[in-house]
Structures are given as C-alpha cells and as structure tokens.
Amino acid sequence: PIPSLKREMRNLSGECNLEPVTVSMAYVYFEKLVLQGKLNKQNRKLCAGACVLLAAKISSDLRKHEVKHLIDKLEERFRFNRRDLIGFEFTVLVALELALYLPENQVLPHYRRLTQQS
C-alpha cells in the first residue's frame, strides 16, 4: 500500500500544481512516520494527506482558496473527512517533532526521481 499511496500523493500534487520539491518533502515526512511505526491500516491515508498538506503549507506560497482546493482534492482522493484531516495534521506535526524544514540531502533523492519521471 505504501508505493500506491505515494503514487496517489504525486498524482494529487500534479492536479493541484504543487512543485516537485513539495511532493519530495511530503514523501520524506511520510517515510519518517513509516519508520517510526506510526502508520496502520486505519490512518495511512490520513497520514499521506496530512503530509501533503503540511509540505504544501511549508514550501509553497499558498493562498487561502488554494489550501481549500488542496483539502477538497485530498478529501476526494483519499476518501476521508476534512475534519479528520485537520485534526490529524497536528498529530503528524507532533510525530515529526515540528521539524518541517528538512535538510537538502533528505529531499534531493526524491526530487531527482520525480523530475526524471516527468
């Protein structure tokens, strides 16, 4: 399920015109949660959605309507309630220990792969 979730994250980011660096950051956040053992069958889609949302907020200059559009797309794609997503965003933030700014060496491998694929 993890590769398919990452594919969904990439596809959704394309629909919302997010930069490859934003998707790369979302991947890193997601992988950190996987390595911490935070993912389970019930929350993996919420985790993926929250990672995309946090990455978009931290790396993009999104306006209010763009954030709303992204949340709408996340809700539609991953089939969860926006209220659950907003609540889970904080849970992910805590699990990542508020460390949303990532070193380049963590983001670059994903970024290279994404830019070569497109």
Side-chain angles (χ1 to χ4, degrees), residues 13 16-29 50-63 66-67 70 89 93 99-102 107 111 114:
S13 298
C16 294
N17 298 319
L18 297 178
E19 298 290 325
V21 70
T22 304
V23 184
S24 302
M25 290 174 71
Y27 282 179
V28 175
Y29 299 158
C51 289
V52 171
L53 187 57
L54 286 169
K57 284 180 174 180
I58 202 82
S59 74
S60 302
D61 188 21
L62 295 181
R63 289 175 175 66
E66 293 169 320
V67 173
L70 178 59
E89 183 181 12
L93 196 54
L100 295 184
Y101 288 101
L102 300 166
V107 179
Y111 180 80
L114 284 168

Side-chain angles (χ1 to χ4, degrees), residues 59-94:
S59 74
S60 302
D61 188 21
L62 295 181
R63 289 175 175 66
K64 190 175 181 177
H65 73 276
E66 293 169 320
V67 173
K68 185 182 179 315
H69 176 69
L70 178 59
I71 291 171
D72 290 342
K73 285 286 185 188
L74 286 166
E75 191 177 29
E76 174 187 310
R77 176 66 57 102
F78 291 121
R79 294 181 300 281
F80 49 58
N81 185 310
R82 68 187 331 110
R83 192 175 294 129
D84 294 338
L85 173 66
I86 304 301
F88 208 76
E89 183 181 12
F90 186 73
T91 305
V92 169
L93 196 54
V94 169

Side-chain angles (χ1 to χ4, degrees), residues 8-43:
E8 291 292 330
M9 291 164 76
R10 185 184 66 227
N11 293 341
L12 181 130
S13 298
E15 290 173 26
C16 294
N17 298 319
L18 297 178
E19 298 290 325
V21 70
T22 304
V23 184
S24 302
M25 290 174 71
Y27 282 179
V28 175
Y29 299 158
F30 190 69
E31 289 171 355
K32 286 182 178 206
L33 296 174
V34 171
L35 291 173
Q36 290 176 16
K38 303 282 187 200
L39 248 64
N40 59 44
K41 192 170 171 68
Q42 290 77 37
N43 73 6

